mmCIF file of all heavy atoms in Angstrom:
data_model
loop_
_atom_site.group_PDB
_atom_site.id
_atom_site.type_symbol
_atom_site.label_atom_id
_atom_site.label_comp_id
_atom_site.label_asym_id
_atom_site.label_seq_id
_atom_site.Cartn_x
_atom_site.Cartn_y
_atom_site.Cartn_z
ATOM 1 N N LEU A 9 -7.257 101.679 84.969
ATOM 2 C CA LEU A 9 -5.946 102.288 85.233
ATOM 3 C C LEU A 9 -5.865 102.841 86.663
ATOM 4 O O LEU A 9 -6.764 103.488 87.157
ATOM 5 C CB LEU A 9 -5.686 103.436 84.279
ATOM 6 C CG LEU A 9 -5.281 103.043 82.885
ATOM 7 C CD1 LEU A 9 -5.006 104.294 82.062
ATOM 8 C CD2 LEU A 9 -4.010 102.197 82.936
ATOM 9 N N ILE A 24 11.504 108.367 81.682
ATOM 10 C CA ILE A 24 10.213 107.920 81.209
ATOM 11 C C ILE A 24 10.474 106.788 80.262
ATOM 12 O O ILE A 24 11.192 106.978 79.256
ATOM 13 C CB ILE A 24 9.454 109.073 80.509
ATOM 14 C CG1 ILE A 24 9.118 110.119 81.575
ATOM 15 C CG2 ILE A 24 8.193 108.578 79.814
ATOM 16 C CD1 ILE A 24 9.097 111.491 81.046
ATOM 17 N N GLY A 25 9.909 105.645 80.527
ATOM 18 C CA GLY A 25 10.249 104.525 79.647
ATOM 19 C C GLY A 25 9.515 103.235 79.937
ATOM 20 O O GLY A 25 8.566 103.209 80.719
ATOM 21 N N THR A 26 10.058 102.249 79.309
ATOM 22 C CA THR A 26 9.445 100.920 79.356
ATOM 23 C C THR A 26 9.911 100.167 80.617
ATOM 24 O O THR A 26 10.995 100.386 81.077
ATOM 25 C CB THR A 26 9.916 100.113 78.146
ATOM 26 O OG1 THR A 26 9.982 101.013 77.049
ATOM 27 C CG2 THR A 26 8.977 98.988 77.778
ATOM 28 N N ALA A 27 9.019 99.289 81.088
ATOM 29 C CA ALA A 27 9.405 98.361 82.133
ATOM 30 C C ALA A 27 9.785 97.076 81.431
ATOM 31 O O ALA A 27 9.006 96.559 80.646
ATOM 32 C CB ALA A 27 8.243 98.131 83.093
ATOM 33 N N MET A 28 10.969 96.568 81.668
ATOM 34 C CA MET A 28 11.353 95.392 80.955
ATOM 35 C C MET A 28 12.268 94.503 81.828
ATOM 36 O O MET A 28 13.281 94.938 82.334
ATOM 37 C CB MET A 28 12.216 95.914 79.744
ATOM 38 C CG MET A 28 12.311 95.002 78.569
ATOM 39 S SD MET A 28 10.758 94.307 77.994
ATOM 40 C CE MET A 28 10.335 95.371 76.688
ATOM 41 N N THR A 29 11.837 93.235 82.035
ATOM 42 C CA THR A 29 12.661 92.323 82.765
ATOM 43 C C THR A 29 13.498 91.535 81.759
ATOM 44 O O THR A 29 12.946 90.928 80.838
ATOM 45 C CB THR A 29 11.814 91.365 83.610
ATOM 46 O OG1 THR A 29 11.081 92.166 84.560
ATOM 47 C CG2 THR A 29 12.670 90.330 84.349
ATOM 48 N N VAL A 52 10.201 92.224 68.031
ATOM 49 C CA VAL A 52 9.047 91.930 68.902
ATOM 50 C C VAL A 52 8.540 90.485 68.616
ATOM 51 O O VAL A 52 8.357 90.150 67.454
ATOM 52 C CB VAL A 52 7.953 92.940 68.724
ATOM 53 C CG1 VAL A 52 6.750 92.618 69.611
ATOM 54 C CG2 VAL A 52 8.468 94.340 69.026
ATOM 55 N N VAL A 53 8.352 89.662 69.633
ATOM 56 C CA VAL A 53 7.856 88.292 69.435
ATOM 57 C C VAL A 53 6.730 88.001 70.427
ATOM 58 O O VAL A 53 6.458 88.796 71.343
ATOM 59 C CB VAL A 53 8.997 87.255 69.631
ATOM 60 C CG1 VAL A 53 10.055 87.386 68.631
ATOM 61 C CG2 VAL A 53 9.589 87.366 71.068
ATOM 62 N N TYR A 93 11.291 107.291 88.193
ATOM 63 C CA TYR A 93 11.009 106.591 86.963
ATOM 64 C C TYR A 93 9.503 106.513 86.758
ATOM 65 O O TYR A 93 8.769 106.013 87.619
ATOM 66 C CB TYR A 93 11.638 105.201 87.009
ATOM 67 C CG TYR A 93 11.706 104.529 85.619
ATOM 68 C CD1 TYR A 93 12.370 105.182 84.561
ATOM 69 C CD2 TYR A 93 11.070 103.340 85.347
ATOM 70 C CE1 TYR A 93 12.443 104.609 83.309
ATOM 71 C CE2 TYR A 93 11.128 102.768 84.081
ATOM 72 C CZ TYR A 93 11.821 103.426 83.068
ATOM 73 O OH TYR A 93 11.889 102.855 81.844
ATOM 74 N N HIS A 94 9.046 106.992 85.579
ATOM 75 C CA HIS A 94 7.616 107.014 85.228
ATOM 76 C C HIS A 94 7.395 105.937 84.199
ATOM 77 O O HIS A 94 8.031 105.942 83.141
ATOM 78 C CB HIS A 94 7.350 108.420 84.664
ATOM 79 C CG HIS A 94 5.910 108.804 84.597
ATOM 80 N ND1 HIS A 94 4.861 107.904 84.770
ATOM 81 C CD2 HIS A 94 5.337 110.037 84.379
ATOM 82 C CE1 HIS A 94 3.693 108.562 84.659
ATOM 83 N NE2 HIS A 94 3.962 109.843 84.407
ATOM 84 N N LEU A 95 6.533 104.999 84.533
ATOM 85 C CA LEU A 95 6.330 103.845 83.645
ATOM 86 C C LEU A 95 4.882 103.393 83.650
ATOM 87 O O LEU A 95 4.102 103.791 84.524
ATOM 88 C CB LEU A 95 7.232 102.667 84.082
ATOM 89 C CG LEU A 95 6.820 101.913 85.349
ATOM 90 C CD1 LEU A 95 7.629 100.618 85.424
ATOM 91 C CD2 LEU A 95 7.010 102.713 86.618
ATOM 92 N N ARG A 96 4.543 102.550 82.729
ATOM 93 C CA ARG A 96 3.259 101.843 82.740
ATOM 94 C C ARG A 96 3.565 100.355 82.738
ATOM 95 O O ARG A 96 4.343 99.919 81.866
ATOM 96 C CB ARG A 96 2.406 102.219 81.517
ATOM 97 C CG ARG A 96 1.108 101.453 81.425
ATOM 98 C CD ARG A 96 0.208 102.062 80.375
ATOM 99 N NE ARG A 96 -1.003 101.233 80.186
ATOM 100 C CZ ARG A 96 -2.186 101.732 79.898
ATOM 101 N NH1 ARG A 96 -2.318 103.029 79.762
ATOM 102 N NH2 ARG A 96 -3.231 100.946 79.733
ATOM 103 N N ASP A 97 2.989 99.614 83.648
ATOM 104 C CA ASP A 97 3.337 98.201 83.698
ATOM 105 C C ASP A 97 2.202 97.394 84.237
ATOM 106 O O ASP A 97 1.254 97.924 84.844
ATOM 107 C CB ASP A 97 4.596 98.004 84.572
ATOM 108 C CG ASP A 97 5.344 96.751 84.220
ATOM 109 O OD1 ASP A 97 5.067 96.119 83.181
ATOM 110 O OD2 ASP A 97 6.206 96.343 85.036
ATOM 111 N N GLY A 98 2.299 96.067 84.098
ATOM 112 C CA GLY A 98 1.292 95.163 84.568
ATOM 113 C C GLY A 98 1.382 94.959 86.073
ATOM 114 O O GLY A 98 2.318 95.447 86.747
ATOM 115 N N VAL A 120 1.884 103.778 86.265
ATOM 116 C CA VAL A 120 0.537 103.613 85.738
ATOM 117 C C VAL A 120 0.272 102.129 85.699
ATOM 118 O O VAL A 120 0.903 101.388 84.930
ATOM 119 C CB VAL A 120 0.423 104.220 84.312
ATOM 120 C CG1 VAL A 120 -0.987 104.072 83.766
ATOM 121 C CG2 VAL A 120 0.915 105.664 84.300
ATOM 122 N N GLU A 121 -0.646 101.683 86.578
ATOM 123 C CA GLU A 121 -0.897 100.223 86.635
ATOM 124 C C GLU A 121 -1.853 99.785 85.577
ATOM 125 O O GLU A 121 -2.992 100.306 85.493
ATOM 126 C CB GLU A 121 -1.438 99.884 88.024
ATOM 127 C CG GLU A 121 -0.411 99.991 89.096
ATOM 128 C CD GLU A 121 -0.930 99.475 90.453
ATOM 129 O OE1 GLU A 121 -2.152 99.295 90.572
ATOM 130 O OE2 GLU A 121 -0.097 99.316 91.352
ATOM 131 N N ASP A 122 -1.433 98.842 84.777
ATOM 132 C CA ASP A 122 -2.299 98.305 83.731
ATOM 133 C C ASP A 122 -2.838 96.954 84.265
ATOM 134 O O ASP A 122 -2.074 96.033 84.528
ATOM 135 C CB ASP A 122 -1.480 98.083 82.459
ATOM 136 C CG ASP A 122 -2.330 97.752 81.296
ATOM 137 O OD1 ASP A 122 -3.233 96.904 81.419
ATOM 138 O OD2 ASP A 122 -2.130 98.334 80.198
ATOM 139 N N GLU A 124 -4.688 94.841 82.840
ATOM 140 C CA GLU A 124 -5.011 93.756 81.856
ATOM 141 C C GLU A 124 -3.785 93.126 81.225
ATOM 142 O O GLU A 124 -3.682 91.917 81.146
ATOM 143 C CB GLU A 124 -5.868 94.353 80.731
ATOM 144 C CG GLU A 124 -7.317 94.528 81.149
ATOM 145 C CD GLU A 124 -8.220 94.889 79.980
ATOM 146 O OE1 GLU A 124 -7.679 95.476 78.977
ATOM 147 O OE2 GLU A 124 -9.421 94.627 80.058
ATOM 148 N N LEU A 125 -2.888 93.990 80.746
ATOM 149 C CA LEU A 125 -1.756 93.476 79.934
ATOM 150 C C LEU A 125 -0.615 92.922 80.812
ATOM 151 O O LEU A 125 -0.430 93.387 81.944
ATOM 152 C CB LEU A 125 -1.202 94.551 79.007
ATOM 153 C CG LEU A 125 -2.189 94.991 77.872
ATOM 154 C CD1 LEU A 125 -1.735 96.243 77.220
ATOM 155 C CD2 LEU A 125 -2.311 93.850 76.859
ATOM 156 N N PRO A 126 0.142 91.973 80.286
ATOM 157 C CA PRO A 126 1.294 91.461 81.049
ATOM 158 C C PRO A 126 2.400 92.502 81.175
ATOM 159 O O PRO A 126 2.454 93.415 80.320
ATOM 160 C CB PRO A 126 1.758 90.238 80.267
ATOM 161 C CG PRO A 126 1.307 90.481 78.868
ATOM 162 C CD PRO A 126 0.018 91.303 78.977
ATOM 163 N N SER A 127 3.249 92.353 82.159
ATOM 164 C CA SER A 127 4.370 93.278 82.275
ATOM 165 C C SER A 127 5.463 92.875 81.245
ATOM 166 O O SER A 127 5.495 91.757 80.762
ATOM 167 C CB SER A 127 4.877 93.271 83.686
ATOM 168 O OG SER A 127 5.057 91.939 84.106
ATOM 169 N N GLY A 128 6.399 93.811 81.029
ATOM 170 C CA GLY A 128 7.382 93.631 79.950
ATOM 171 C C GLY A 128 8.454 92.637 80.268
ATOM 172 O O GLY A 128 8.912 92.513 81.406
ATOM 173 N N ARG A 129 8.872 91.870 79.242
ATOM 174 C CA ARG A 129 10.050 90.977 79.401
ATOM 175 C C ARG A 129 10.802 90.932 78.090
ATOM 176 O O ARG A 129 10.197 91.023 77.002
ATOM 177 C CB ARG A 129 9.627 89.614 79.912
ATOM 178 C CG ARG A 129 8.783 88.804 78.972
ATOM 179 C CD ARG A 129 7.909 87.852 79.738
ATOM 180 N NE ARG A 129 6.828 88.588 80.437
ATOM 181 C CZ ARG A 129 5.941 87.996 81.233
ATOM 182 N NH1 ARG A 129 5.958 86.720 81.438
ATOM 183 N NH2 ARG A 129 4.977 88.704 81.799
ATOM 184 N N SER A 144 11.631 91.026 72.293
ATOM 185 C CA SER A 144 10.732 91.531 73.380
ATOM 186 C C SER A 144 9.303 91.063 73.124
ATOM 187 O O SER A 144 8.942 90.693 72.009
ATOM 188 C CB SER A 144 10.835 93.043 73.499
ATOM 189 O OG SER A 144 10.406 93.606 72.289
ATOM 190 N N VAL A 145 8.516 91.152 74.162
ATOM 191 C CA VAL A 145 7.103 90.710 74.128
ATOM 192 C C VAL A 145 6.192 91.937 74.260
ATOM 193 O O VAL A 145 6.459 92.777 75.105
ATOM 194 C CB VAL A 145 6.873 89.711 75.302
ATOM 195 C CG1 VAL A 145 5.394 89.430 75.452
ATOM 196 C CG2 VAL A 145 7.659 88.453 75.132
ATOM 197 N N PRO A 146 5.136 92.028 73.447
ATOM 198 C CA PRO A 146 4.203 93.151 73.615
ATOM 199 C C PRO A 146 3.576 93.157 75.000
ATOM 200 O O PRO A 146 3.095 92.103 75.411
ATOM 201 C CB PRO A 146 3.116 92.956 72.528
ATOM 202 C CG PRO A 146 3.582 91.844 71.691
ATOM 203 C CD PRO A 146 4.581 91.082 72.455
ATOM 204 N N SER A 147 3.593 94.249 75.672
ATOM 205 C CA SER A 147 3.167 94.230 77.055
ATOM 206 C C SER A 147 2.577 95.596 77.439
ATOM 207 O O SER A 147 2.437 96.481 76.618
ATOM 208 C CB SER A 147 4.367 93.890 77.948
ATOM 209 O OG SER A 147 5.407 94.797 77.605
ATOM 210 N N ALA A 148 2.288 95.711 78.751
ATOM 211 C CA ALA A 148 1.646 96.957 79.249
ATOM 212 C C ALA A 148 2.432 98.193 78.836
ATOM 213 O O ALA A 148 1.814 99.237 78.523
ATOM 214 C CB ALA A 148 1.553 96.858 80.759
ATOM 215 N N GLY A 149 3.741 98.115 78.784
ATOM 216 C CA GLY A 149 4.565 99.261 78.427
ATOM 217 C C GLY A 149 4.237 99.785 77.044
ATOM 218 O O GLY A 149 4.370 101.008 76.794
ATOM 219 N N ALA A 150 3.779 98.901 76.162
ATOM 220 C CA ALA A 150 3.458 99.351 74.803
ATOM 221 C C ALA A 150 2.228 100.241 74.790
ATOM 222 O O ALA A 150 1.968 100.939 73.833
ATOM 223 C CB ALA A 150 3.254 98.121 73.902
ATOM 224 N N ALA A 151 1.437 100.163 75.865
ATOM 225 C CA ALA A 151 0.198 100.998 75.948
ATOM 226 C C ALA A 151 0.430 102.327 76.641
ATOM 227 O O ALA A 151 -0.481 103.156 76.793
ATOM 228 C CB ALA A 151 -0.878 100.209 76.670
ATOM 229 N N PHE A 152 1.662 102.562 77.102
ATOM 230 C CA PHE A 152 2.027 103.829 77.777
ATOM 231 C C PHE A 152 1.814 104.945 76.762
ATOM 232 O O PHE A 152 2.425 104.962 75.695
ATOM 233 C CB PHE A 152 3.498 103.754 78.213
ATOM 234 C CG PHE A 152 3.924 104.751 79.262
ATOM 235 C CD1 PHE A 152 3.034 105.579 79.905
ATOM 236 C CD2 PHE A 152 5.267 104.823 79.635
ATOM 237 C CE1 PHE A 152 3.445 106.487 80.879
ATOM 238 C CE2 PHE A 152 5.718 105.711 80.604
ATOM 239 C CZ PHE A 152 4.797 106.534 81.216
ATOM 240 N N CYS A 153 0.941 105.893 77.064
ATOM 241 C CA CYS A 153 0.594 106.908 76.072
ATOM 242 C C CYS A 153 0.646 108.309 76.690
ATOM 243 O O CYS A 153 0.737 108.479 77.909
ATOM 244 C CB CYS A 153 -0.850 106.598 75.530
ATOM 245 S SG CYS A 153 -2.056 106.643 76.820
ATOM 246 N N PRO A 154 0.602 109.364 75.847
ATOM 247 C CA PRO A 154 0.745 110.733 76.385
ATOM 248 C C PRO A 154 -0.256 111.052 77.479
ATOM 249 O O PRO A 154 0.054 111.737 78.423
ATOM 250 C CB PRO A 154 0.486 111.593 75.134
ATOM 251 C CG PRO A 154 0.913 110.770 73.986
ATOM 252 C CD PRO A 154 0.539 109.350 74.372
ATOM 253 N N GLN A 155 -1.473 110.492 77.403
ATOM 254 C CA GLN A 155 -2.490 110.771 78.418
ATOM 255 C C GLN A 155 -2.093 110.191 79.798
ATOM 256 O O GLN A 155 -2.585 110.662 80.832
ATOM 257 C CB GLN A 155 -3.849 110.173 78.040
ATOM 258 C CG GLN A 155 -4.511 110.819 76.807
ATOM 259 C CD GLN A 155 -3.816 110.442 75.498
ATOM 260 O OE1 GLN A 155 -3.196 109.399 75.396
ATOM 261 N NE2 GLN A 155 -3.920 111.306 74.495
ATOM 262 N N ASP A 156 -1.179 109.231 79.820
ATOM 263 C CA ASP A 156 -0.735 108.648 81.088
ATOM 264 C C ASP A 156 0.259 109.547 81.803
ATOM 265 O O ASP A 156 0.488 109.387 82.992
ATOM 266 C CB ASP A 156 -0.028 107.298 80.860
ATOM 267 C CG ASP A 156 -0.958 106.208 80.428
ATOM 268 O OD1 ASP A 156 -2.135 106.294 80.709
ATOM 269 O OD2 ASP A 156 -0.472 105.229 79.773
ATOM 270 N N ASP A 171 14.551 106.895 76.213
ATOM 271 C CA ASP A 171 15.259 106.089 75.219
ATOM 272 C C ASP A 171 14.391 105.828 74.003
ATOM 273 O O ASP A 171 13.178 106.091 74.024
ATOM 274 C CB ASP A 171 15.758 104.762 75.847
ATOM 275 C CG ASP A 171 14.664 103.795 76.200
ATOM 276 O OD1 ASP A 171 13.753 103.626 75.381
ATOM 277 O OD2 ASP A 171 14.673 103.219 77.298
ATOM 278 N N GLY A 172 15.028 105.311 72.924
ATOM 279 C CA GLY A 172 14.355 105.159 71.671
ATOM 280 C C GLY A 172 13.262 104.097 71.656
ATOM 281 O O GLY A 172 12.393 104.099 70.806
ATOM 282 N N TYR A 173 13.303 103.162 72.629
ATOM 283 C CA TYR A 173 12.267 102.110 72.636
ATOM 284 C C TYR A 173 10.882 102.733 72.804
ATOM 285 O O TYR A 173 9.901 102.200 72.310
ATOM 286 C CB TYR A 173 12.557 101.078 73.761
ATOM 287 C CG TYR A 173 13.849 100.318 73.442
ATOM 288 C CD1 TYR A 173 15.073 100.768 73.910
ATOM 289 C CD2 TYR A 173 13.801 99.197 72.625
ATOM 290 C CE1 TYR A 173 16.251 100.086 73.614
ATOM 291 C CE2 TYR A 173 14.944 98.516 72.274
ATOM 292 C CZ TYR A 173 16.167 98.958 72.761
ATOM 293 O OH TYR A 173 17.319 98.279 72.439
ATOM 294 N N SER A 174 10.816 103.881 73.474
ATOM 295 C CA SER A 174 9.527 104.562 73.670
ATOM 296 C C SER A 174 9.020 105.219 72.400
ATOM 297 O O SER A 174 7.856 105.655 72.330
ATOM 298 C CB SER A 174 9.654 105.623 74.774
ATOM 299 O OG SER A 174 9.929 105.019 75.994
ATOM 300 N N LEU A 175 9.847 105.269 71.337
ATOM 301 C CA LEU A 175 9.343 105.799 70.068
ATOM 302 C C LEU A 175 8.260 104.898 69.505
ATOM 303 O O LEU A 175 7.475 105.330 68.657
ATOM 304 C CB LEU A 175 10.474 105.932 69.054
ATOM 305 C CG LEU A 175 11.557 106.959 69.315
ATOM 306 C CD1 LEU A 175 12.739 106.800 68.403
ATOM 307 C CD2 LEU A 175 10.956 108.374 69.175
ATOM 308 N N ARG A 176 8.244 103.629 69.957
ATOM 309 C CA ARG A 176 7.179 102.724 69.505
ATOM 310 C C ARG A 176 5.841 103.076 70.117
ATOM 311 O O ARG A 176 4.802 102.608 69.703
ATOM 312 C CB ARG A 176 7.563 101.276 69.802
ATOM 313 C CG ARG A 176 8.705 100.825 68.910
ATOM 314 C CD ARG A 176 9.080 99.383 69.154
ATOM 315 N NE ARG A 176 10.057 98.922 68.166
ATOM 316 C CZ ARG A 176 11.042 98.035 68.379
ATOM 317 N NH1 ARG A 176 11.120 97.480 69.538
ATOM 318 N NH2 ARG A 176 11.859 97.705 67.406
ATOM 319 N N ASN A 177 5.875 103.878 71.199
ATOM 320 C CA ASN A 177 4.630 104.366 71.817
ATOM 321 C C ASN A 177 4.304 105.706 71.142
ATOM 322 O O ASN A 177 4.891 106.733 71.482
ATOM 323 C CB ASN A 177 4.823 104.642 73.308
ATOM 324 C CG ASN A 177 5.154 103.377 74.060
ATOM 325 O OD1 ASN A 177 6.104 102.716 73.760
ATOM 326 N ND2 ASN A 177 4.382 103.104 75.079
ATOM 327 N N LYS A 178 3.419 105.663 70.204
ATOM 328 C CA LYS A 178 3.167 106.839 69.366
ATOM 329 C C LYS A 178 3.021 108.134 70.214
ATOM 330 O O LYS A 178 2.214 108.151 71.149
ATOM 331 C CB LYS A 178 1.911 106.596 68.560
ATOM 332 C CG LYS A 178 1.958 107.259 67.206
ATOM 333 C CD LYS A 178 0.882 106.798 66.302
ATOM 334 C CE LYS A 178 0.576 107.777 65.169
ATOM 335 N NZ LYS A 178 1.480 108.871 65.008
ATOM 336 N N SER A 179 3.749 109.143 69.873
ATOM 337 C CA SER A 179 3.700 110.498 70.468
ATOM 338 C C SER A 179 4.139 110.586 71.927
ATOM 339 O O SER A 179 4.196 111.695 72.468
ATOM 340 C CB SER A 179 2.271 111.069 70.418
ATOM 341 O OG SER A 179 1.719 110.893 69.148
ATOM 342 N N LEU A 180 4.442 109.480 72.590
ATOM 343 C CA LEU A 180 4.821 109.532 73.988
ATOM 344 C C LEU A 180 6.085 110.371 74.188
ATOM 345 O O LEU A 180 6.183 111.218 75.064
ATOM 346 C CB LEU A 180 5.009 108.137 74.592
ATOM 347 C CG LEU A 180 5.428 108.111 76.053
ATOM 348 C CD1 LEU A 180 4.252 108.512 76.980
ATOM 349 C CD2 LEU A 180 5.957 106.750 76.464
ATOM 350 N N VAL A 181 7.086 110.091 73.328
ATOM 351 C CA VAL A 181 8.390 110.737 73.493
ATOM 352 C C VAL A 181 8.244 112.256 73.299
ATOM 353 O O VAL A 181 8.733 113.033 74.109
ATOM 354 C CB VAL A 181 9.432 110.161 72.487
ATOM 355 C CG1 VAL A 181 10.733 110.934 72.545
ATOM 356 C CG2 VAL A 181 9.672 108.682 72.821
ATOM 357 N N LEU A 204 15.785 100.948 65.624
ATOM 358 C CA LEU A 204 14.843 102.000 66.002
ATOM 359 C C LEU A 204 15.208 103.293 65.270
ATOM 360 O O LEU A 204 14.314 104.022 64.886
ATOM 361 C CB LEU A 204 14.924 102.215 67.524
ATOM 362 C CG LEU A 204 14.214 101.147 68.338
ATOM 363 C CD1 LEU A 204 14.711 101.170 69.762
ATOM 364 C CD2 LEU A 204 12.716 101.366 68.296
ATOM 365 N N HIS A 208 12.607 105.179 62.763
ATOM 366 C CA HIS A 208 12.053 106.480 63.214
ATOM 367 C C HIS A 208 12.955 107.665 62.815
ATOM 368 O O HIS A 208 12.997 108.644 63.541
ATOM 369 C CB HIS A 208 11.834 106.462 64.703
ATOM 370 C CG HIS A 208 10.919 105.399 65.172
ATOM 371 N ND1 HIS A 208 9.525 105.553 65.214
ATOM 372 C CD2 HIS A 208 11.130 104.164 65.609
ATOM 373 C CE1 HIS A 208 8.970 104.436 65.673
ATOM 374 N NE2 HIS A 208 9.936 103.585 65.903
#
Side-chain angles (χ1 to χ4, degrees):
L9 283 182
I24 292 148
T26 322
M28 203 48 98
T29 298
V52 178
V53 295
Y93 194 59
H94 197 346
L95 74 167
R96 174 169 176 145
D97 203 15
V120 180
E121 289 187 347
D122 191 314
E124 282 190 335
L125 291 168
S127 49
R129 65 208 72 182
S144 63
V145 170
S147 52
F152 198 7
C153 61
Q155 294 73 26
D156 289 337
D171 69 46
Y173 294 92
S174 296
L175 290 169
R176 290 183 172 147
N177 297 57
K178 213 168 158 11
S179 314
L180 180 73
V181 173
L204 285 161
H208 300 274

